[in-house]
């Protein structure tokens, strides 16, 4: 039996590096996967790769009406929701003195409001399905330690960490059987890390500095994160809630 056979998952930011890897991994292990993103063509292509196991739905995670639509489409097509991967995210490289209030709010809208809306509508859909569901929130090691060039990102990801624990405690107290955990990757080779190193204007130097901060001496791969998502999505982690999974090659050790 495959590890998430019979489960239905929704992944946000599914067009991106970690979202697409998670969607593919969950489908490979037997789940039906709703691939969502605000980048429609790219997310549709990922869903199409999954054949009958995939469904594309456009979803900007900051828009509550779009969450309602995504959950309705998921229940209509696959009949239930067992797994929600709140993965969509973005960052702006500017320190606290340079950042505008609009930039601050944009990062929090996507990274924190988006996860809040996902948890709210995810719990609703899981309850409707009678599912002992799993909510997996992709935070970052920047949600554990501060980053001078990345104050809004760090603040929003720290918020995701504690929101996840609060959701876990709420669902446990209500006896829903729904779990919620956060995942904290260090640097993983995706468009986001590429953009980060380009933003400095000194890509090679920045990459070298990033690597220096990783005791194991190499970046993560998208499947390193997807494997953790798969474990949290599966019943193998059924005792795990309110926990944080750190995947950083020792960077925060
Ligand atoms: P990515 O840029 O490849 O993918 C991010 C995806 O999120 C994109 O497809 C983008 O279109 C989507 N997105 C952005 N704003 C959105 C919105 N408002 N609504 C819906 N979708 C939106 O980056 P990634 O590396 O795959 O990042 C995935 C998650 O992992 C993010 O939350 C990121 O903060 C986190 N993370 C990444 C790393 C890393 O090193 N790559 C490290 C730690 C945490």
């Amino acid at each position: 039996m495959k590890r998430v056979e019979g489960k239905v998952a929704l992944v946000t930011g599914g067009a991106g590096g970690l979202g697409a890897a998670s969607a593919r991994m969950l489908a490979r292990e037997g789940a039906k996967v709703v691939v969502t993103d605000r980048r429609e063509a790219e997310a549709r292509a990922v869903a199409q790769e999954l054949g009958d196991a995939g469904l594309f739905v456009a979803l900007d995670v900051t828009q509550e009406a779009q969450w309602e639509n995504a959950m309705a489409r998921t229940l209509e097509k696959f009949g239930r929701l067992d797994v929600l991967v709140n993965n969509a995210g973005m960052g702006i490289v500017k320190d606290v003195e340079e950042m505008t209030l609009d930039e601050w709010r944009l990062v929090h809208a996507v990274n924190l409001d988006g996860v809040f809306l996902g948890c709210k509508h995810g719990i609703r859909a899981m309850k409707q399905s009678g599912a002992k569901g799993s909510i997996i929130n992709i935070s970052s090691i920047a949600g554990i330690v501060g980053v001078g060039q990345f104050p809004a990102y760090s603040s929003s990801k720290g918020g995701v960490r504690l929101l996840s624990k609060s959701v876990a405690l709420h669902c446990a107290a209500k006896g829903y059987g729904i779990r919620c955990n956060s995942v904290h990757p260090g640097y993983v080779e995706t468009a986001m890390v590429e953009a980060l190193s380009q933003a400095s204007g000194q890509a090679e130097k920045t990459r070298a500095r990033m690597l220096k901060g990783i005791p194991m001496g190499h970046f993560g791969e998208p499947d390193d994160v997807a494997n953790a998502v798969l474990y949290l999505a599966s019943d193998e982690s059924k005792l795990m809630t309110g926990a944080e999974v750190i995947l950083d090659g020792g960077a925060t050790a």
Side-chain angles (χ1 to χ4, degrees):
M1 171 127 167
K2 292 183 173 175
R3 292 170 66 189
V4 284
E5 189 84 55
K7 294 190 190 289
V8 176
L10 185 149
V11 180
T12 70
L18 303 188
S22 298
R24 290 184 186 111
M25 181 76 77
L26 290 167
R28 204 175 306 144
E29 286 297 329
K32 304 273 193 268
V33 184
V34 183
V35 182
T36 72
D37 203 291
R38 64 173 180 188
R39 288 193 295 146
E40 298 196 13
E42 293 89 341
R44 192 186 297 279
V46 174
Q48 276 169 355
E49 258 179 58
L50 310 182
D52 288 345
L55 171 71
F56 161 73
V57 178
L59 170 59
D60 177 334
V61 294
T62 65
Q63 304 300 314
E64 188 156 17
Q66 293 188 27
W67 272 108
E68 282 163 2
N69 174 59
M71 291 306 172
R73 293 280 314 280
T74 301
L75 297 179
E76 184 186 289
K77 168 86 177 174
F78 293 130
R80 56 189 293 111
L81 180 72
D82 302 278
V83 177
L84 170 63
V85 187
N86 281 312
N87 162 81
M90 53 97 60
I92 296 176
V93 187
K94 276 195 183 174
D95 66 36
V96 66
E97 294 185 78
E98 296 172 319
M99 181 163 276
T100 67
L101 184 57
D102 281 348
E103 289 168 336
W104 171 267
R105 285 181 173 153
L106 172 64
V107 173
H108 282 83
V110 176
N111 293 359
L112 190 51
D113 298 2
V115 175
F116 154 68
L117 289 172
C119 291
K120 177 176 172 182
H121 291 279
I123 290 169
R124 228 177 246 176
M126 286 172 185
K127 279 168 64 184
Q128 224 174 304
S129 321
K132 294 196 167 173
S134 174
I135 299 175
I136 302 157
N137 294 331
I138 308 299
S139 175
S140 165
I141 55 169
I144 295 174
V145 295
V147 185
Q149 286 298 311
F150 238 21
Y153 185 79
S154 231
S155 157
S156 62
K157 293 297 189 179
V160 168
R161 176 174 168 267
L162 288 182
L163 170 62
S164 304
K165 293 180 193 296
S166 303
V167 168
L169 292 174
H170 166 73
C171 290
K174 291 281 185 184
Y176 294 157
I178 296 171
R179 300 179 293 114
C180 182
N181 295 286
S182 56
V183 176
H184 301 260
Y187 294 122
V188 182
E189 295 270 24
T190 67
M192 183 174 277
V193 161
E194 180 61 24
L196 249 180
S197 41
Q198 296 295 345
S200 66
Q202 294 180 304
E204 278 316 305
K205 260 193 173 164
T206 305
R207 280 178 71 88
R209 205 176 46 237
M210 289 171 173
L211 277 174
K212 234 177 135 187
I214 308 173
M216 287 186 82
H218 60 81
F219 291 116
E221 295 168 8
D223 272 0
D224 292 328
V225 177
N227 274 312
V229 166
L230 174 63
Y231 172 67
L232 292 171
S234 78
D235 296 339
E236 294 158 25
S237 58
K238 68 183 169 37
L239 189 59
M240 212 167 155
T241 197
E244 35 196 287
V245 178
I246 300 175
L247 305 157
D248 68 353
T252 54

